Amino acid sequence: MSEFKAAVAEQQFVLEHIVNLAELGVDDDIIEAVLSGAGEFAAGEWAPLARIGDTEGPRWSPEGVTMPKGYREAYQAYVAGGWGTIGSPEAHGGQGMPFALSAAVLETLGTANMGFALAPTLTVGAIEALAHHGSPEQQALYLPKLATGEWTGTMNLTEPQAGSDVGALRSTATPRGDGTFSIKGTKIFISFGDHDMADNIVHLVLARTPDAPAGTKGLSLFLVPKYRLDADGNPGAPNDVRVVSIEHKMGLHASPTCVLAFGEEGGCIGELIGPEFGGIRAMFTMMNNARLNVGLQGVQVAEAATQRALAFARERIQSPRASAPGAGSVAIVEHPDVRRMLLRMRAQTQAARALVYLACGQVDRANAGDAEAKLRLDLLTPLAKSHATDLGNEVASIGVQVHGGMGYIEETGAAQHFRDARITPIYEGTNGIQAADLVGRKLGLDNGGAFQRLIADMRADVSDPLLRDLITGCEDIARNLLAADMDDRLAASTPFQTMLSVAVCGWLMAREHAVAESGTTPFLRAKASVTRFYLEQIVPEALGLAAAASAPAARLYELDAETLAA
Amino acid sequence: MSEFKAAVAEQQFVLEHIVNLAELGVDDDIIEAVLSGAGEFAAGEWAPLARIGDTEGPRWSPEGVTMPKGYREAYQAYVAGGWGTIGSPEAHGGQGMPFALSAAVLETLGTANMGFALAPTLTVGAIEALAHHGSPEQQALYLPKLATGEWTGTMNLTEPQAGSDVGALRSTATPRGDGTFSIKGTKIFISFGDHDMADNIVHLVLARTPDAPAGTKGLSLFLVPKYRLDADGNPGAPNDVRVVSIEHKMGLHASPTCVLAFGEEGGCIGELIGPEFGGIRAMFTMMNNARLNVGLQGVQVAEAATQRALAFARERIQSPRASAPGAGSVAIVEHPDVRRMLLRMRAQTQAARALVYLACGQVDRANAGDAEAKLRLDLLTPLAKSHATDLGNEVASIGVQVHGGMGYIEETGAAQHFRDARITPIYEGTNGIQAADLVGRKLGLDNGGAFQRLIADMRADVSDPLLRDLITGCEDIARNLLAADMDDRLAASTPFQTMLSVAVCGWLMAREHAVAESGTTPFLRAKASVTRFYLEQIVPEALGLAAAASAPAARLYELDAETLAA
């Protein structure tokens, strides 16, 4: 993807005006230097590997997974450049920069090469879990290596019989008498579960201790290194974690999705992270930020698809404009419907970025002890994960369409974005699970107060009548949902989640528009136009979801499953 | 796809109540026999080959294209069974059944194996062109073989520099002095441009005669057989048509998409079809029904994805319902949000089918001399092509989502539908081209009368207030579009096209609902529930498009292309 260019000016704008990053104590100079440097690194080292990652992909053998040519070197360059340390805790060798800024860096890496960037994304989850729940010894041994990216991390949740149903997990952890546990079980869908880019891999594994209660309550989290550490803390003997296979996925090929067998030979040793039965809590620590990072993948793929489509549309000459048939053929960007598609791509990408960054900024404020920011984060997380990934898919699909027939040919690259994007509404909790979380837990946070204060903040900034209608519509529907039974809530959950997400994005686009509208630089003129397009064309669509977001469950159950399938 | 079952009852219902097939002189017994027989044939012979078509696909060599194992035999079985002859003219050995009925058969074939079914789809286009524009000699030599499918047909339009811009074609046809022409040029994106399933391939090629005017006016259509016919009308010497390569496409792998070089050795002989410079008219004859058949592909992939998702959702056990946590884990079809996705898949599939069949029925009436039906057909064609393919993509995407993580794994099959579907909004005129056709030509047919009579017919059947609002919204917007300049029309064209398509589908769903609501059979109860879901949840969404469908072009051109891309 030679045309990749990090969206530095846009990132800075959103960090300044939506996140208020200055409040978090980082100088503008540093922000600019970090974002520009990440952009240059990603364009030079990671973007050129995006296509080979897709076409060749990692290879499995009984000894493990070999990444495509160039990946190990490009990963090592990432470690050596210090890009892994940006958001890691200073206490463990990181730079301790705000999560929102590290997210912007991760966005750039993933826009350059989405599958590749999943490796650091998962490492961040492992760092979070250890930083919050690990013992001082565990932190001292593992965090410095994870903080730089010298070692990578994985999350081992899913088993064949337990996808979204985490409570159905069966992997076991049996005490060995010395404080460690013998781990047994098979885990599936383990991203970067094995590879040859780093010297060790730190698996975080959900499993059950003997006599643990059934369901999620009985789960504990274990630290299982690929290589056990020797007395000096260096990788030593293999730890009986076998890569059974890697999946044939539709996309995101650069990321090896592994089936891992733990303890087939009885020699897999793990350590408990946090208390016994604290697994689900630790998992949520890992997953919450992981959900934002998956939302960020929506931004990544949207940005990449938009850049590619714009480059194509400016070069591809086809037909005169219908309004000027005598003026000769023009680049397709000049045709109204193509222009509309490109503006929509830009607008949806900017909306997704604003939403995800807003949530990331709450992580920093929550970490600094701001309780309201923690509530706001909890409320925004399902929106950021689900809506940004939905938008990533929408934008990638429009990108294919802009390319016409060439979009369907793999060599063009637009198809890869379309395939890559499709996993993001599924993993880290499907978007339906996010919607269930929204209507089942998040709307009711602080007795509904968290939601009410979000609505109030939105309303205070917004004068556009359509957007005000949308905000009021969300408020009314939320009130009804909170009073409804669980089936009715869930029946309406996905349309409501989209509606509320567009309302939040509309609010953010309106704020950005207010900053940009008096500007005269090309960036600000573009920002003003794109945000206005969002308010005029995309906000009204969400009003059309009110009926579905208000529909009770009864209609869904008129037919039994057999009749529906007949 | 072992779970494939032709949707015979649904097809019959739509043919009866939307198409009024009885009016076209076919007995119910025959309809049932044809549809059931096609279903059995497709399930037995074509569906089992869908996966190998995707994973192995056709192979190219300098000698030509070899189809995957089993395809030649399955194609020959199709010919032997007479399935190709159903809609072909009786005068040329076909059964002369209504186009609408042959469309239902093609739907079944394509639901079983979408890529494979493209071969007969293109043959139908060649038959149409020859039947309308060929000389008696050409018809006598070629139509009987095409009518049975013994020979297949192709459409050769696109060249590298001429995608949607057909006027930019450069291929040449030079008179050889004996009434034939020497053809030279390279054509791309030729579906089933070569294969080993039939004894000859009849290429229909757009090219320019010497001194032809520039643009579309100078195009003529040529008949170029892969093998020239000998004195007995049998395939003889090769005709200098070389398969340069086949494309690496995202999906629809069973269909070899060829680059064809005509006349590299100076030995490619073609015959004019119709008059010189009649190429574009003949092309539209080919393409109009081809557009309906691509719309039908939307129905095919939607039906296939829905059947697969329903089967999965009824088997996959995950978690208790949130409303009954003590009742144990249930099949995911019992979870409200999954049930909503499945109902949506069903509803959108039924809507797409009703829309496409309605248009197909107009073909039959127009062929019988009904001028109003011809106008209705012209108006409905862009809707049927664009909206049914959009829905095919939406439904295939929901199908992936229902499968969760398994949906992203190729072995499951849901991903194939998602990849296969993505070409349909692009080829045979992108959906943006359809929208341009709608607002640029079709709305103004008969001085706007064709559209007005459609609106009047819809309104006469509809009492649902939301749907009546949508119909009125479409009417108002159309009035403004007809008065607007071309840029403003085009700027609004795609949102308007969707809005009007949903209005038409809503009308058809309301008609189907009226038939079904008093029924007591499982089929009618399901029909009543699914159509009601469409009216309650999907019609209101389209009202949200009114703003975009009313937006002028000015916003799109505030930014020049460079600023937009910066």
Side-chain angles (χ1 to χ4, degrees):
Chain A
M1 190 184 175
S2 55
E3 63 272 19
F4 165 71
K5 234 182 76 194
V8 173
E10 160 76 4
Q11 292 178 324
Q12 281 186 280
F13 182 90
V14 182
L15 288 173
E16 180 178 349
H17 297 289
I18 299 298
V19 178
N20 282 320
L21 193 58
E23 276 184 20
L24 297 168
V26 187
D27 286 353
D28 283 353
D29 291 357
I30 291 182
I31 295 171
E32 209 277 330
V34 167
L35 295 177
S36 300
E40 280 171 40
F41 171 77
E45 304 277 340
W46 280 33
L49 298 175
R51 181 141 169 78
I52 195 179
D54 186 55
T55 54
E56 183 177 313
R59 281 189 309 271
W60 175 89
S61 81
E63 284 70 49
V65 174
T66 308
M67 293 295 289
K69 192 168 146 52
Y71 271 73
R72 182 181 164 86
E73 294 73 16
Y75 185 79
Q76 292 294 331
Y78 158 86
V79 173
W83 298 110
T85 63
I86 290 182
S88 304
E90 285 182 280
H92 303 291
Q95 300 183 52
M97 299 233 199
F99 182 76
L101 181 59
S102 69
V105 170
L106 187 56
E107 178 204 321
T108 292
L109 291 167
T111 305
N113 193 328
M114 183 178 165
F116 199 176
L118 200 54
T121 303
L122 287 153
T123 304
V124 168
I127 291 171
E128 289 287 325
L130 276 171
H132 285 90
H133 305 285
S135 68
E137 294 73 24
Q138 288 168 338
Q139 293 183 352
L141 276 171
Y142 289 94
L143 277 179
K145 298 293 191 179
L146 290 168
T148 58
E150 282 169 275
W151 300 349
T152 65
T154 71
M155 293 168 52
N156 290 256
L157 283 58
T158 307
E159 298 175 9
Q161 79 291 349
S164 299
D165 186 3
V166 179
L169 294 175
R170 292 181 195 149
S171 292
T172 59
T174 311
R176 298 176 69 250
D178 61 354
T180 66
F181 291 78
S182 175
I183 310 292
K184 270 187 200 289
T186 298
K187 295 287 184 176
I188 64 170
F189 295 160
I190 311 307
S191 299
F192 281 95
D194 196 48
H195 59 80
D196 58 357
M197 303 191 302
D199 297 335
N200 209 354
I201 301 175
V202 181
H203 302 295
L204 302 194
V205 183
L206 280 181
R208 285 181 197 285
T209 45
D211 307 319
T216 55
K217 287 192 204 78
L219 295 170
S220 305
L221 186 67
F222 295 89
L223 187 163
V224 180
K226 176 179 177 182
Y227 299 106
R228 291 179 209 143
L229 304 194
D230 66 17
D232 301 323
N234 294 317
N239 197 15
D240 192 12
V241 181
R242 190 167 71 84
V243 193
V244 177
S245 64
I246 60 178
E247 304 289 357
H248 304 109
K249 305 194 302 295
M250 175 156 58
L252 216 67
H253 294 161
S255 161
T257 303
C258 300
V259 178
L260 294 183
F262 292 88
E264 281 185 331
E265 315 284 333
C268 182
I269 302 176
E271 301 172 26
L272 196 55
I273 301 176
E276 192 178 5
F277 309 139
I280 205 72
R281 198 167 150 248
M283 188 194 82
F284 274 114
T285 304
M286 270 196 297
M287 282 192 73
N288 253 337
N289 294 352
R291 287 177 171 183
L292 297 187
N293 281 334
V294 172
L296 192 66
Q297 289 189 303
V299 181
Q300 294 165 7
V301 74
E303 179 67 33
T306 302
Q307 290 192 18
R308 191 183 296 278
L310 271 161
F312 180 86
R314 293 176 66 200
E315 281 178 11
R316 173 77 169 167
I317 311 287
Q318 287 285 282
S319 303
R321 275 174 71 169
S323 56
S329 295
V330 296
I332 61 171
V333 66
E334 300 302 337
H335 291 294
D337 190 57
V338 175
R339 187 66 75 100
R340 183 194 57 78
M341 288 194 276
L342 292 166
L343 260 168
R344 189 172 179 104
M345 294 175 83
R346 267 272 187 258
Q348 296 286 43
T349 303
Q350 293 186 9
R353 183 182 285 111
L355 172 61
V356 173
Y357 280 27
L358 176 71
C360 290
Q362 309 305 319
V363 172
D364 292 308
R365 289 177 170 76
N367 287 345
D370 179 341
E372 181 62 22
K374 178 67 172 70
L375 287 170
R376 183 67 56 96
L377 170 63
D378 288 345
L379 183 55
L380 290 176
T381 294
L383 308 184
K385 193 280 175 179
S386 66
H387 195 59
T389 58
D390 283 345
L391 294 184
N393 277 269
E394 181 192 325
V395 171
S397 182
I398 303 175
V400 172
Q401 194 70 21
V402 168
H403 283 78
M406 296 304 297
Y408 204 58
I409 307 299
E410 286 290 354
E411 283 80 353
T412 312
Q416 183 183 340
H417 300 313
F418 182 73
R419 291 183 289 99
D420 285 354
R422 192 61 190 84
I423 188 59
T424 59
I426 295 173
Y427 62 13
E428 296 303 327
T430 66
N431 287 1
I433 300 273
Q434 305 302 322
D437 179 45
L438 175 64
V439 301
R441 299 178 51 235
K442 301 303 175 65
L443 276 187
L445 281 177
D446 190 26
N447 208 15
F451 176 75
Q452 273 308 327
R453 290 188 292 276
L454 173 66
I455 292 286
D457 284 356
M458 290 162 67
R459 200 169 266 141
D461 289 330
V462 163
S463 56
D464 182 89
L466 275 175
L467 182 51
R468 289 186 72 89
D469 285 352
L470 181 60
I471 294 167
T472 300
C474 290
E475 190 180 23
D476 293 344
I477 290 170
R479 188 181 311 113
N480 294 336
L481 287 178
L482 281 171
D485 75 17
M486 191 50 77
D487 280 336
D488 286 341
R489 286 193 202 190
L490 292 172
S493 60
T494 289
F496 174 70
Q497 179 169 255
T498 302
M499 213 178 144
L500 180 59
S501 297
V502 176
V504 172
C505 288
W507 167 47
L508 302 177
M509 294 290 97
R511 281 168 55 186
E512 294 192 7
H513 185 78
V515 174
E517 65 182 338
S518 56
T520 55
T521 65
F523 173 81
L524 290 175
R525 287 198 304 114
K527 173 61 80 180
S529 187
V530 169
T531 49
R532 174 55 68 193
F533 178 89
Y534 188 94
L535 296 168
E536 289 175 348
Q537 296 219 3
I538 295 170
V539 164
E541 287 176 19
L543 283 161
L545 294 171
S550 309
R555 178 80 59 211
L556 303 179
Y557 292 93
E558 275 177 1
L559 304 174
D560 59 28
E562 193 181 340
T563 308
L564 179 62
Chain B
M1 188 181 176
S2 54
E3 62 272 21
F4 164 72
K5 234 182 76 194
V8 173
E10 160 76 3
Q11 293 179 323
Q12 281 186 282
F13 182 89
V14 181
L15 288 172
E16 179 178 350
H17 297 289
I18 299 298
V19 179
N20 282 320
L21 193 58
E23 275 185 21
L24 297 168
V26 188
D27 286 353
D28 284 353
D29 291 357
I30 293 182
I31 296 171
E32 210 277 331
V34 167
L35 295 177
S36 300
E40 280 169 41
F41 171 78
E45 303 278 339
W46 280 32
L49 298 174
R51 181 141 169 80
I52 194 180
D54 186 56
T55 53
E56 182 176 314
R59 282 187 309 270
W60 176 90
S61 82
E63 284 70 49
V65 173
T66 309
M67 293 295 291
K69 192 167 146 52
Y71 272 72
R72 183 181 162 84
E73 294 72 17
Y75 185 78
Q76 292 293 333
Y78 159 86
V79 173
W83 298 110
T85 64
I86 290 181
S88 303
E90 285 182 279
H92 303 291
Q95 300 184 51
M97 298 232 199
F99 182 76
L101 181 58
S102 70
V105 170
L106 187 56
E107 179 205 319
T108 292
L109 292 167
T111 304
N113 192 328
M114 181 178 166
F116 199 177
L118 201 53
T121 304
L122 288 153
T123 303
V124 168
I127 292 171
E128 288 287 325
L130 276 171
H132 285 90
H133 305 286
S135 68
E137 294 74 23
Q138 288 168 339
Q139 293 183 351
L141 276 171
Y142 289 94
L143 278 179
K145 299 292 192 180
L146 290 167
T148 58
E150 282 169 275
W151 300 349
T152 65
T154 71
M155 294 169 50
N156 291 255
L157 283 58
T158 307
E159 298 175 9
Q161 78 292 347
S164 300
D165 186 4
V166 179
L169 293 176
R170 291 180 195 149
S171 292
T172 59
T174 311
R176 298 176 71 248
D178 62 352
T180 66
F181 290 78
S182 175
I183 310 293
K184 270 187 199 288
T186 299
K187 295 286 183 176
I188 64 170
F189 296 160
I190 310 307
S191 299
F192 281 95
D194 196 47
H195 59 81
D196 58 358
M197 303 189 303
D199 296 335
N200 209 356
I201 301 175
V202 180
H203 301 296
L204 301 194
V205 184
L206 279 181
R208 284 180 198 286
T209 46
D211 308 319
T216 55
K217 287 190 205 75
L219 295 170
S220 304
L221 186 67
F222 295 88
L223 186 163
V224 180
K226 176 179 177 182
Y227 299 105
R228 292 179 209 143
L229 305 196
D230 64 19
D232 301 323
N234 294 318
N239 197 15
D240 192 11
V241 182
R242 190 168 70 83
V243 193
V244 177
S245 64
I246 59 177
E247 305 288 358
H248 304 109
K249 306 193 302 295
M250 176 158 56
L252 215 66
H253 293 162
S255 161
T257 302
C258 300
V259 178
L260 293 184
F262 292 89
E264 281 186 329
E265 314 284 334
C268 182
I269 301 177
E271 300 172 26
L272 196 55
I273 301 177
E276 192 178 5
F277 310 141
I280 204 72
R281 198 166 149 250
M283 188 194 83
F284 275 114
T285 303
M286 269 196 298
M287 283 192 72
N288 253 338
N289 294 351
R291 286 177 172 182
L292 297 186
N293 281 335
V294 172
L296 192 67
Q297 289 188 303
V299 182
Q300 294 165 7
V301 73
E303 179 66 33
T306 302
Q307 289 191 19
R308 192 184 295 279
L310 271 161
F312 180 86
R314 293 175 67 202
E315 281 177 12
R316 173 76 169 167
I317 311 286
Q318 288 283 283
S319 302
R321 275 174 71 169
S323 57
S329 295
V330 296
I332 62 171
V333 66
E334 300 302 336
H335 292 294
D337 190 58
V338 175
R339 186 67 75 103
R340 183 193 57 78
M341 288 195 275
L342 293 166
L343 259 170
R344 189 172 179 104
M345 293 176 82
R346 266 273 186 257
Q348 296 285 43
T349 303
Q350 293 187 9
R353 183 181 287 112
L355 173 60
V356 173
Y357 280 27
L358 176 71
C360 290
Q362 309 306 317
V363 172
D364 291 308
R365 288 178 170 77
N367 287 346
D370 180 341
E372 181 61 23
K374 177 68 172 70
L375 288 170
R376 182 67 54 95
L377 170 63
D378 288 347
L379 183 56
L380 290 176
T381 295
L383 308 184
K385 194 278 175 180
S386 66
H387 195 58
T389 58
D390 283 345
L391 294 185
N393 277 267
E394 181 192 325
V395 170
S397 181
I398 302 174
V400 172
Q401 194 70 21
V402 167
H403 283 77
M406 296 305 297
Y408 205 57
I409 306 299
E410 286 290 355
E411 283 80 354
T412 312
Q416 183 182 341
H417 300 313
F418 182 72
R419 290 183 290 99
D420 285 354
R422 191 63 190 82
I423 187 58
T424 59
I426 294 174
Y427 63 12
E428 296 303 328
T430 65
N431 287 1
I433 299 273
Q434 305 302 322
D437 180 45
L438 175 64
V439 302
R441 297 179 53 237
K442 302 301 177 63
L443 275 187
L445 282 177
D446 190 26
N447 209 16
F451 176 75
Q452 273 309 327
R453 290 189 291 277
L454 173 66
I455 292 286
D457 284 356
M458 290 161 67
R459 200 169 268 141
D461 290 330
V462 163
S463 57
D464 181 90
L466 275 175
L467 182 52
R468 289 186 70 89
D469 286 352
L470 180 61
I471 294 167
T472 301
C474 290
E475 190 179 24
D476 294 344
I477 291 169
R479 189 180 311 115
N480 294 337
L481 288 178
L482 281 170
D485 75 17
M486 191 50 78
D487 279 336
D488 286 341
R489 286 194 203 188
L490 292 172
S493 61
T494 289
F496 174 70
Q497 179 169 253
T498 302
M499 214 177 143
L500 179 59
S501 297
V502 176
V504 172
C505 288
W507 167 46
L508 302 177
M509 293 291 96
R511 282 169 53 186
E512 293 192 7
H513 185 78
V515 174
E517 65 183 336
S518 57
T520 54
T521 66
F523 173 82
L524 290 175
R525 287 199 303 114
K527 172 61 79 180
S529 187
V530 169
T531 49
R532 174 54 67 194
F533 178 89
Y534 189 94
L535 296 168
E536 288 175 347
Q537 297 221 3
I538 295 171
V539 164
E541 288 176 18
L543 283 162
L545 295 170
S550 310
R555 178 81 60 211
L556 302 179
Y557 291 93
E558 277 177 0
L559 304 174
D560 59 28
E562 193 181 339
T563 308
L564 179 62

